[in-house]
Amino acid sequence: MTNQIELLFTLDEGYLKPLKVALFSIQLNNPKQAFRVWLVHERISATSLANIQAFCDHLGFAFCPIKVDGSQWESAPTVARYPKEMYFRLLAGEILPKELTKVLYLDPDILVINSLQELWETDVTDYLLAACTHAGLLDLATPLNKVRLDLDHVYYNSGVMLLNLEQARAKIKWEDISQVIEKHAAYLVLPDQDILNYLYGKYALLVDEEKWNYDARMYAKYLARSLNKRDIHWVMKHTAILHFCGKPKPWSKKHDNRFTPLYLSYQNMVEAFDVEKS
């Protein structure tokens, strides 16, 4: 167990159950890899944190919760689907310990079904971050986002990001973020993701979405785009991160696509695991 992978999650109490599913899938499919989990939050209870600590202990993961003051984000646009905690990842360089040089940020609505090692070892020395775009069969979103946000690059999804924390500390400033919020709040559709793209997308390295940030809604589009080469067998062998973007979420009874049974199988394993260790 060498070359520990540093994982970052920023969430509220409502996403602790999906977090457990994500962590369980990571351990199951990276059994010999060491991980440390950084959980940045504002108001998760001590009882809930103790529960996650015990869960990580059983997985063999180090666990480091960090409580932050989210008052500076009071003016930031938020809705139920996009709570204040989503902004914390933007200031990861400021929040995390200075000795940490990189971290892999993950949304909690993911499954990891293969090794994360290759993504972790991606060279981001000359970049602020590595991320993916969700372009679809025809890339219609990127031209719209380029006009909406005046971008000269693809529109990156912020749900999976390998962050170069040294560059983040040099480039990402709260003053710049707050100015964007103040001036353009009405135009921010996916607030923190829009800010990330508007201010910092030019410093990003594009990596393969079908390996590292596979939108679970888009199987048919990925299959067509690959001329039927990247079928479900390819996904299970080569995709590392399945991302359940949008709504409904896979733990909801309304979710029903090709990957719903896979997610529910992991969820069932976590519930059995929790009962066994309690």
Side-chain angles (χ1 to χ4, degrees):
M1 295 177 66
T2 59
N3 191 19
Q4 177 174 267
I5 293 178
E6 308 285 351
L7 300 175
L8 171 63
F9 295 88
T10 65
L11 45 83
D12 59 20
E13 195 123 9
Y15 270 89
L16 291 180
K17 287 186 178 179
L19 173 63
K20 284 186 173 183
V21 176
L23 293 175
F24 187 85
S25 72
I26 290 168
Q27 196 281 333
L28 192 65
N29 293 295
N30 296 261
K32 296 181 180 180
Q33 176 63 53
F35 289 95
R36 178 161 52 178
V37 178
W38 299 90
L39 175 57
V40 177
H41 69 100
E42 184 179 20
R43 54 173 64 93
I44 297 177
S45 70
T47 300
S48 295
L49 289 174
N51 181 270
I52 298 298
Q53 175 73 70
F55 189 79
C56 285
D57 289 346
H58 279 81
L59 294 178
F61 292 178
F63 178 59
C64 299
I66 299 178
K67 184 174 182 178
V68 298
D69 177 7
S71 60
Q72 65 180 330
W73 301 103
E74 291 301 330
S75 64
T78 60
V79 294
R81 182 178 164 194
Y82 302 107
K84 189 193 314 181
E85 283 76 10
M86 68 184 172
Y87 291 102
F88 297 163
R89 56 187 156 179
L90 293 176
L91 290 179
E94 180 180 316
I95 294 169
L96 295 175
K98 294 296 183 286
E99 62 269 19
L100 217 59
T101 59
K102 68 176 178 178
V103 71
L104 177 58
Y105 169 82
L106 298 172
D107 275 353
D109 56 347
I110 55 112
L111 279 181
V112 172
I113 59 174
N114 280 299
S115 173
L116 293 173
Q117 192 66 40
E118 183 184 338
L119 178 58
W120 177 249
E121 292 177 351
T122 298
D123 186 0
V124 288
T125 304
D126 297 324
Y127 298 91
L128 171 60
L129 60 97
C132 305
T133 183
H134 286 160
L137 181 58
L138 298 174
D139 190 359
L140 301 177
T142 289
L144 291 174
N145 284 317
K146 282 185 174 182
V147 172
R148 182 171 65 87
L149 298 172
D150 191 25
L151 306 179
D152 60 359
H153 52 76
V154 300
Y155 184 81
Y156 294 97
N157 181 274
S158 60
V160 176
M161 297 185 291
L162 181 63
L163 292 166
N164 178 339
L165 294 174
E166 293 178 324
Q167 288 221 14
R169 292 178 187 116
K171 290 185 170 69
I172 300 179
K173 305 299 181 184
W174 163 240
E175 292 78 13
D176 298 331
I177 296 170
S178 61
Q179 285 181 15
V180 173
I181 292 173
E182 183 179 345
K183 293 180 180 179
H184 304 293
Y187 301 98
L188 302 177
V189 179
L190 305 174
D192 76 310
Q193 188 166 276
D194 282 354
I195 292 169
L196 177 84
N197 277 275
Y198 182 75
L199 290 175
Y200 309 114
K202 59 188 174 183
Y203 306 117
L205 171 67
L206 183 64
V207 292
D208 187 352
E209 65 175 300
E210 293 175 50
K211 291 181 68 175
W212 307 120
N213 192 348
Y214 189 106
D215 187 335
R217 302 168 298 182
M218 292 173 54
Y219 174 78
K221 293 180 181 179
Y222 290 138
L223 186 63
R225 196 166 68 185
S226 69
L227 301 178
N228 294 329
K229 293 179 180 178
R230 296 193 170 188
D231 59 11
I232 195 66
H233 301 278
W234 185 95
V235 172
M236 295 307 297
K237 184 175 181 180
H238 298 284
T239 294
I241 302 172
L242 285 174
H243 190 182
F244 292 86
C245 306
K247 290 242 180 177
K249 293 301 184 186
W251 51 88
S252 165
K253 290 184 178 180
K254 294 181 180 179
H255 193 276
D256 186 10
N257 75 17
R258 184 177 297 267
F259 297 104
T260 307
L262 182 62
Y263 189 91
L264 294 178
S265 70
Y266 277 89
Q267 182 173 271
N268 290 342
M269 284 189 281
V270 167
E271 291 173 356
F273 181 76
D274 267 347
V275 169
E276 181 181 328
K277 69 180 180 65
S278 60

Short mmCIF file of all heavy atoms in Angstrom, two decimals, residues 149-198:
data_model
loop_
_atom_site.label_atom_id
_atom_site.label_comp_id
_atom_site.label_asym_id
_atom_site.label_seq_id
_atom_site.Cartn_x
_atom_site.Cartn_y
_atom_site.Cartn_z
N LEU A 149 -20.82 31.97 -21.13
CA LEU A 149 -19.75 32.32 -20.19
C LEU A 149 -18.52 32.92 -20.87
O LEU A 149 -17.52 33.17 -20.21
CB LEU A 149 -19.34 31.07 -19.41
CG LEU A 149 -20.43 30.43 -18.54
CD1 LEU A 149 -19.95 29.10 -17.98
CD2 LEU A 149 -20.85 31.36 -17.41
N ASP A 150 -18.61 33.12 -22.19
CA ASP A 150 -17.49 33.70 -22.94
C ASP A 150 -16.22 32.86 -22.76
O ASP A 150 -15.17 33.36 -22.38
CB ASP A 150 -17.24 35.15 -22.50
CG ASP A 150 -16.27 35.88 -23.44
OD1 ASP A 150 -16.18 35.48 -24.61
OD2 ASP A 150 -15.61 36.83 -22.98
N LEU A 151 -16.33 31.57 -23.09
CA LEU A 151 -15.22 30.64 -22.91
C LEU A 151 -14.49 30.42 -24.23
O LEU A 151 -15.08 30.48 -25.31
CB LEU A 151 -15.72 29.29 -22.40
CG LEU A 151 -16.58 29.28 -21.13
CD1 LEU A 151 -16.99 27.84 -20.79
CD2 LEU A 151 -15.82 29.90 -19.96
N ASP A 152 -13.19 30.10 -24.14
CA ASP A 152 -12.43 29.70 -25.32
C ASP A 152 -11.92 28.27 -25.17
O ASP A 152 -10.90 27.89 -25.75
CB ASP A 152 -11.27 30.66 -25.58
CG ASP A 152 -10.29 30.72 -24.41
OD1 ASP A 152 -10.52 30.02 -23.40
OD2 ASP A 152 -9.29 31.46 -24.51
N HIS A 153 -12.63 27.48 -24.37
CA HIS A 153 -12.26 26.08 -24.12
C HIS A 153 -13.53 25.29 -23.88
O HIS A 153 -14.63 25.87 -23.80
CB HIS A 153 -11.34 25.99 -22.89
CG HIS A 153 -11.89 26.67 -21.67
ND1 HIS A 153 -12.90 26.13 -20.89
CD2 HIS A 153 -11.59 27.88 -21.11
CE1 HIS A 153 -13.18 26.96 -19.90
NE2 HIS A 153 -12.42 28.03 -20.01
N VAL A 154 -13.40 23.97 -23.79
CA VAL A 154 -14.57 23.13 -23.51
C VAL A 154 -15.11 23.45 -22.13
O VAL A 154 -14.42 24.04 -21.29
CB VAL A 154 -14.23 21.62 -23.62
CG1 VAL A 154 -13.74 21.28 -25.01
CG2 VAL A 154 -13.21 21.21 -22.55
N TYR A 155 -16.35 23.04 -21.89
CA TYR A 155 -16.99 23.25 -20.58
C TYR A 155 -16.75 22.01 -19.74
O TYR A 155 -17.23 20.92 -20.04
CB TYR A 155 -18.48 23.50 -20.77
CG TYR A 155 -19.23 23.82 -19.50
CD1 TYR A 155 -19.20 25.11 -18.97
CD2 TYR A 155 -19.95 22.84 -18.82
CE1 TYR A 155 -19.89 25.42 -17.81
CE2 TYR A 155 -20.63 23.14 -17.66
CZ TYR A 155 -20.61 24.43 -17.15
OH TYR A 155 -21.28 24.73 -16.00
N TYR A 156 -16.00 22.17 -18.65
CA TYR A 156 -15.59 21.04 -17.82
C TYR A 156 -16.65 20.72 -16.77
O TYR A 156 -17.27 21.62 -16.20
CB TYR A 156 -14.27 21.34 -17.12
CG TYR A 156 -13.10 21.47 -18.06
CD1 TYR A 156 -12.67 22.72 -18.51
CD2 TYR A 156 -12.42 20.35 -18.53
CE1 TYR A 156 -11.61 22.86 -19.38
CE2 TYR A 156 -11.35 20.48 -19.40
CZ TYR A 156 -10.95 21.73 -19.82
OH TYR A 156 -9.90 21.85 -20.69
N ASN A 157 -16.82 19.43 -16.51
CA ASN A 157 -17.67 18.98 -15.42
C ASN A 157 -16.84 18.95 -14.14
O ASN A 157 -15.75 18.37 -14.12
CB ASN A 157 -18.25 17.60 -15.72
CG ASN A 157 -19.15 17.11 -14.61
OD1 ASN A 157 -18.69 16.51 -13.64
ND2 ASN A 157 -20.44 17.32 -14.76
N SER A 158 -17.34 19.55 -13.08
CA SER A 158 -16.57 19.66 -11.84
C SER A 158 -16.80 18.51 -10.88
O SER A 158 -16.32 18.55 -9.74
CB SER A 158 -16.90 20.99 -11.14
OG SER A 158 -18.29 21.04 -10.82
N GLY A 159 -17.51 17.47 -11.30
CA GLY A 159 -17.81 16.34 -10.42
C GLY A 159 -16.64 15.42 -10.14
O GLY A 159 -16.64 14.70 -9.13
N VAL A 160 -15.66 15.41 -11.03
CA VAL A 160 -14.42 14.65 -10.84
C VAL A 160 -13.28 15.56 -11.27
O VAL A 160 -13.21 15.96 -12.43
CB VAL A 160 -14.40 13.35 -11.67
CG1 VAL A 160 -13.05 12.64 -11.52
CG2 VAL A 160 -15.54 12.42 -11.28
N MET A 161 -12.40 15.90 -10.32
CA MET A 161 -11.28 16.79 -10.65
C MET A 161 -10.02 16.36 -9.90
O MET A 161 -10.06 16.18 -8.68
CB MET A 161 -11.59 18.24 -10.25
CG MET A 161 -12.76 18.86 -10.96
SD MET A 161 -12.94 20.62 -10.50
CE MET A 161 -13.46 20.47 -8.79
N LEU A 162 -8.94 16.20 -10.63
CA LEU A 162 -7.64 16.02 -10.01
C LEU A 162 -7.04 17.42 -9.86
O LEU A 162 -6.70 18.07 -10.85
CB LEU A 162 -6.74 15.14 -10.87
CG LEU A 162 -5.34 14.86 -10.30
CD1 LEU A 162 -5.43 14.09 -8.97
CD2 LEU A 162 -4.49 14.08 -11.30
N LEU A 163 -6.94 17.89 -8.62
CA LEU A 163 -6.53 19.27 -8.36
C LEU A 163 -5.06 19.37 -7.99
O LEU A 163 -4.59 18.67 -7.09
CB LEU A 163 -7.37 19.83 -7.20
CG LEU A 163 -8.86 20.05 -7.48
CD1 LEU A 163 -9.61 20.28 -6.17
CD2 LEU A 163 -9.06 21.24 -8.42
N ASN A 164 -4.36 20.24 -8.68
CA ASN A 164 -2.99 20.59 -8.33
C ASN A 164 -3.09 21.69 -7.27
O ASN A 164 -3.36 22.85 -7.59
CB ASN A 164 -2.24 21.09 -9.57
CG ASN A 164 -0.81 21.51 -9.27
OD1 ASN A 164 -0.47 21.82 -8.14
ND2 ASN A 164 0.02 21.54 -10.30
N LEU A 165 -2.92 21.33 -6.02
CA LEU A 165 -3.16 22.27 -4.93
C LEU A 165 -2.14 23.40 -4.88
O LEU A 165 -2.44 24.50 -4.40
CB LEU A 165 -3.20 21.52 -3.60
CG LEU A 165 -4.37 20.55 -3.45
CD1 LEU A 165 -4.25 19.75 -2.16
CD2 LEU A 165 -5.72 21.28 -3.50
N GLU A 166 -0.94 23.15 -5.37
CA GLU A 166 0.06 24.21 -5.39
C GLU A 166 -0.37 25.32 -6.35
O GLU A 166 -0.26 26.51 -6.04
CB GLU A 166 1.43 23.64 -5.77
CG GLU A 166 1.99 22.69 -4.71
CD GLU A 166 3.32 22.07 -5.10
OE1 GLU A 166 3.50 21.79 -6.31
OE2 GLU A 166 4.16 21.88 -4.22
N GLN A 167 -0.87 24.93 -7.52
CA GLN A 167 -1.37 25.93 -8.45
C GLN A 167 -2.66 26.56 -7.95
O GLN A 167 -2.92 27.75 -8.17
CB GLN A 167 -1.57 25.30 -9.84
CG GLN A 167 -0.29 24.99 -10.56
CD GLN A 167 -0.34 25.34 -12.04
OE1 GLN A 167 -1.22 26.03 -12.50
NE2 GLN A 167 0.65 24.85 -12.77
N ALA A 168 -3.49 25.75 -7.28
CA ALA A 168 -4.74 26.29 -6.74
C ALA A 168 -4.46 27.40 -5.74
O ALA A 168 -5.14 28.44 -5.73
CB ALA A 168 -5.54 25.17 -6.07
N ARG A 169 -3.44 27.21 -4.90
CA ARG A 169 -3.11 28.23 -3.90
C ARG A 169 -2.60 29.52 -4.56
O ARG A 169 -2.78 30.61 -4.03
CB ARG A 169 -2.08 27.67 -2.93
CG ARG A 169 -2.65 26.56 -2.06
CD ARG A 169 -1.63 25.94 -1.11
NE ARG A 169 -2.23 24.79 -0.45
CZ ARG A 169 -1.83 23.53 -0.59
NH1 ARG A 169 -0.78 23.25 -1.36
NH2 ARG A 169 -2.46 22.55 0.03
N ALA A 170 -1.99 29.36 -5.72
CA ALA A 170 -1.46 30.54 -6.42
C ALA A 170 -2.52 31.24 -7.27
O ALA A 170 -2.50 32.47 -7.39
CB ALA A 170 -0.29 30.12 -7.32
N LYS A 171 -3.46 30.49 -7.82
CA LYS A 171 -4.38 31.05 -8.80
C LYS A 171 -5.79 31.32 -8.28
O LYS A 171 -6.44 32.27 -8.73
CB LYS A 171 -4.48 30.11 -10.02
CG LYS A 171 -3.23 30.05 -10.88
CD LYS A 171 -3.48 29.20 -12.11
CE LYS A 171 -2.32 29.32 -13.12
NZ LYS A 171 -1.09 28.71 -12.64
N ILE A 172 -6.30 30.49 -7.39
CA ILE A 172 -7.70 30.61 -6.98
C ILE A 172 -7.80 31.55 -5.78
O ILE A 172 -7.28 31.27 -4.70
CB ILE A 172 -8.31 29.24 -6.65
CG1 ILE A 172 -8.25 28.33 -7.89
CG2 ILE A 172 -9.75 29.40 -6.17
CD1 ILE A 172 -8.81 26.93 -7.67
N LYS A 173 -8.49 32.65 -5.99
CA LYS A 173 -8.64 33.68 -4.96
C LYS A 173 -10.12 33.94 -4.70
O LYS A 173 -10.91 34.08 -5.64
CB LYS A 173 -7.97 34.99 -5.39
CG LYS A 173 -6.50 34.86 -5.78
CD LYS A 173 -5.64 34.36 -4.63
CE LYS A 173 -4.18 34.24 -5.03
NZ LYS A 173 -3.35 33.65 -3.95
N TRP A 174 -10.46 34.03 -3.42
CA TRP A 174 -11.84 34.29 -3.06
C TRP A 174 -12.32 35.63 -3.63
O TRP A 174 -13.47 35.76 -4.05
CB TRP A 174 -12.00 34.28 -1.54
CG TRP A 174 -13.26 34.93 -1.06
CD1 TRP A 174 -13.39 35.99 -0.24
CD2 TRP A 174 -14.61 34.54 -1.41
NE1 TRP A 174 -14.71 36.31 -0.04
CE2 TRP A 174 -15.48 35.44 -0.75
CE3 TRP A 174 -15.15 33.54 -2.22
CZ2 TRP A 174 -16.86 35.35 -0.87
CZ3 TRP A 174 -16.54 33.46 -2.33
CH2 TRP A 174 -17.37 34.36 -1.67
N GLU A 175 -11.45 36.60 -3.72
CA GLU A 175 -11.83 37.91 -4.25
C GLU A 175 -12.34 37.79 -5.69
O GLU A 175 -13.33 38.42 -6.07
CB GLU A 175 -10.64 38.88 -4.20
CG GLU A 175 -10.20 39.27 -2.81
CD GLU A 175 -9.38 38.18 -2.12
OE1 GLU A 175 -8.95 37.23 -2.81
OE2 GLU A 175 -9.19 38.29 -0.89
N ASP A 176 -11.66 36.97 -6.50
CA ASP A 176 -12.08 36.78 -7.90
C ASP A 176 -13.43 36.07 -7.96
O ASP A 176 -14.31 36.43 -8.75
CB ASP A 176 -11.04 35.96 -8.65
CG ASP A 176 -9.68 36.66 -8.72
OD1 ASP A 176 -9.66 37.90 -8.70
OD2 ASP A 176 -8.66 35.95 -8.78
N ILE A 177 -13.59 35.04 -7.13
CA ILE A 177 -14.84 34.27 -7.11
C ILE A 177 -16.00 35.16 -6.67
O ILE A 177 -17.08 35.15 -7.29
CB ILE A 177 -14.71 33.05 -6.18
CG1 ILE A 177 -13.65 32.09 -6.72
CG2 ILE A 177 -16.05 32.34 -6.04
CD1 ILE A 177 -13.27 30.98 -5.76
N SER A 178 -15.79 35.95 -5.64
CA SER A 178 -16.87 36.79 -5.12
C SER A 178 -17.28 37.84 -6.14
O SER A 178 -18.47 38.20 -6.23
CB SER A 178 -16.44 37.45 -3.80
OG SER A 178 -15.32 38.28 -3.99
N GLN A 179 -16.33 38.34 -6.93
CA GLN A 179 -16.66 39.31 -7.96
C GLN A 179 -17.54 38.70 -9.04
O GLN A 179 -18.49 39.33 -9.52
CB GLN A 179 -15.38 39.88 -8.59
CG GLN A 179 -14.66 40.88 -7.71
CD GLN A 179 -13.41 41.44 -8.38
OE1 GLN A 179 -13.22 41.29 -9.59
NE2 GLN A 179 -12.56 42.07 -7.59
N VAL A 180 -17.25 37.45 -9.42
CA VAL A 180 -18.08 36.75 -10.42
C VAL A 180 -19.49 36.54 -9.87
O VAL A 180 -20.48 36.75 -10.57
CB VAL A 180 -17.44 35.40 -10.81
CG1 VAL A 180 -18.40 34.61 -11.70
CG2 VAL A 180 -16.12 35.63 -11.53
N ILE A 181 -19.58 36.15 -8.61
CA ILE A 181 -20.89 35.94 -7.99
C ILE A 181 -21.68 37.25 -7.97
O ILE A 181 -22.87 37.29 -8.29
CB ILE A 181 -20.73 35.37 -6.57
CG1 ILE A 181 -20.18 33.94 -6.63
CG2 ILE A 181 -22.07 35.39 -5.82
CD1 ILE A 181 -19.83 33.36 -5.27
N GLU A 182 -21.00 38.33 -7.60
CA GLU A 182 -21.66 39.63 -7.49
C GLU A 182 -22.14 40.13 -8.86
O GLU A 182 -23.26 40.65 -8.98
CB GLU A 182 -20.69 40.65 -6.89
CG GLU A 182 -21.30 42.02 -6.67
CD GLU A 182 -20.32 43.00 -6.05
OE1 GLU A 182 -19.28 42.54 -5.53
OE2 GLU A 182 -20.60 44.20 -6.09
N LYS A 183 -21.33 39.95 -9.89
CA LYS A 183 -21.65 40.51 -11.19
C LYS A 183 -22.52 39.60 -12.05
O LYS A 183 -23.32 40.08 -12.86
CB LYS A 183 -20.35 40.82 -11.96
CG LYS A 183 -19.53 41.94 -11.35
CD LYS A 183 -18.27 42.17 -12.18
CE LYS A 183 -17.41 43.29 -11.59
NZ LYS A 183 -16.17 43.50 -12.38
N HIS A 184 -22.36 38.27 -11.89
CA HIS A 184 -22.98 37.36 -12.86
C HIS A 184 -23.89 36.30 -12.22
O HIS A 184 -24.20 35.30 -12.86
CB HIS A 184 -21.89 36.64 -13.66
CG HIS A 184 -20.94 37.56 -14.35
ND1 HIS A 184 -21.31 38.38 -15.38
CD2 HIS A 184 -19.61 37.80 -14.14
CE1 HIS A 184 -20.26 39.08 -15.80
NE2 HIS A 184 -19.22 38.75 -15.05
N ALA A 185 -24.33 36.50 -10.98
CA ALA A 185 -25.12 35.49 -10.29
C ALA A 185 -26.34 35.04 -11.09
O ALA A 185 -26.69 33.86 -11.12
CB ALA A 185 -25.56 36.00 -8.91
N ALA A 186 -26.97 35.97 -11.79
CA ALA A 186 -28.19 35.65 -12.54
C ALA A 186 -27.92 34.73 -13.72
O ALA A 186 -28.84 34.07 -14.22
CB ALA A 186 -28.84 36.94 -13.04
N TYR A 187 -26.66 34.66 -14.16
CA TYR A 187 -26.33 33.85 -15.34
C TYR A 187 -25.70 32.50 -14.98
O TYR A 187 -25.37 31.72 -15.87
CB TYR A 187 -25.36 34.62 -16.25
CG TYR A 187 -25.91 35.94 -16.72
CD1 TYR A 187 -25.56 37.12 -16.08
CD2 TYR A 187 -26.79 36.01 -17.79
CE1 TYR A 187 -26.07 38.35 -16.50
CE2 TYR A 187 -27.31 37.22 -18.22
CZ TYR A 187 -26.95 38.38 -17.57
OH TYR A 187 -27.46 39.58 -17.99
N LEU A 188 -25.54 32.24 -13.69
CA LEU A 188 -24.90 31.00 -13.26
C LEU A 188 -25.94 29.89 -13.16
O LEU A 188 -26.76 29.87 -12.25
CB LEU A 188 -24.20 31.21 -11.91
CG LEU A 188 -23.13 32.31 -11.87
CD1 LEU A 188 -22.57 32.46 -10.47
CD2 LEU A 188 -22.03 32.01 -12.87
N VAL A 189 -25.91 28.97 -14.11
CA VAL A 189 -26.86 27.87 -14.16
C VAL A 189 -26.45 26.76 -13.20
O VAL A 189 -27.24 26.26 -12.40
CB VAL A 189 -26.99 27.32 -15.59
CG1 VAL A 189 -27.97 26.15 -15.64
CG2 VAL A 189 -27.44 28.43 -16.54
N LEU A 190 -25.20 26.33 -13.29
CA LEU A 190 -24.60 25.37 -12.36
C LEU A 190 -23.53 26.15 -11.61
O LEU A 190 -22.37 26.15 -12.03
CB LEU A 190 -24.00 24.18 -13.12
CG LEU A 190 -24.95 23.44 -14.05
CD1 LEU A 190 -24.19 22.37 -14.85
CD2 LEU A 190 -26.07 22.78 -13.27
N PRO A 191 -23.89 26.82 -10.53
CA PRO A 191 -23.08 27.93 -10.01
C PRO A 191 -21.60 27.68 -9.86
O PRO A 191 -20.78 28.39 -10.47
CB PRO A 191 -23.75 28.23 -8.66
CG PRO A 191 -25.16 27.82 -8.85
CD PRO A 191 -25.10 26.61 -9.74
N ASP A 192 -21.18 26.70 -9.04
CA ASP A 192 -19.74 26.56 -8.81
C ASP A 192 -19.03 26.04 -10.05
O ASP A 192 -17.90 26.39 -10.34
CB ASP A 192 -19.47 25.65 -7.62
CG ASP A 192 -19.67 24.19 -7.95
OD1 ASP A 192 -20.73 23.86 -8.51
OD2 ASP A 192 -18.78 23.37 -7.65
N GLN A 193 -19.73 25.21 -10.85
CA GLN A 193 -19.14 24.69 -12.08
C GLN A 193 -18.96 25.80 -13.10
O GLN A 193 -17.94 25.85 -13.81
CB GLN A 193 -20.03 23.58 -12.63
CG GLN A 193 -19.45 22.82 -13.81
CD GLN A 193 -20.20 21.53 -14.09
OE1 GLN A 193 -19.97 20.51 -13.48
NE2 GLN A 193 -21.15 21.59 -15.01
N ASP A 194 -19.94 26.70 -13.18
CA ASP A 194 -19.81 27.85 -14.07
C ASP A 194 -18.64 28.73 -13.66
O ASP A 194 -17.86 29.19 -14.51
CB ASP A 194 -21.10 28.67 -14.05
CG ASP A 194 -22.22 28.05 -14.88
OD1 ASP A 194 -21.96 27.05 -15.57
OD2 ASP A 194 -23.35 28.58 -14.84
N ILE A 195 -18.50 28.96 -12.35
CA ILE A 195 -17.40 29.79 -11.86
C ILE A 195 -16.07 29.13 -12.17
O ILE A 195 -15.12 29.79 -12.61
CB ILE A 195 -17.55 30.03 -10.34
CG1 ILE A 195 -18.77 30.90 -10.07
CG2 ILE A 195 -16.29 30.68 -9.77
CD1 ILE A 195 -19.15 30.98 -8.60
N LEU A 196 -16.00 27.83 -11.94
CA LEU A 196 -14.77 27.09 -12.24
C LEU A 196 -14.37 27.26 -13.70
O LEU A 196 -13.21 27.54 -14.02
CB LEU A 196 -14.96 25.61 -11.91
CG LEU A 196 -13.76 24.72 -12.25
CD1 LEU A 196 -12.74 24.76 -11.12
CD2 LEU A 196 -14.20 23.29 -12.50
N ASN A 197 -15.33 27.09 -14.60
CA ASN A 197 -15.04 27.21 -16.02
C ASN A 197 -14.71 28.63 -16.43
O ASN A 197 -13.78 28.87 -17.20
CB ASN A 197 -16.24 26.69 -16.83
CG ASN A 197 -16.24 25.18 -16.99
OD1 ASN A 197 -15.60 24.65 -17.88
ND2 ASN A 197 -16.92 24.49 -16.10
N TYR A 198 -15.45 29.58 -15.89
CA TYR A 198 -15.26 30.99 -16.26
C TYR A 198 -13.89 31.51 -15.84
O TYR A 198 -13.20 32.18 -16.62
CB TYR A 198 -16.37 31.81 -15.61
CG TYR A 198 -16.33 33.28 -15.94
CD1 TYR A 198 -16.73 33.75 -17.20
CD2 TYR A 198 -15.89 34.21 -15.00
CE1 TYR A 198 -16.70 35.10 -17.50
CE2 TYR A 198 -15.86 35.57 -15.29
CZ TYR A 198 -16.27 36.01 -16.54
OH TYR A 198 -16.22 37.34 -16.84
#
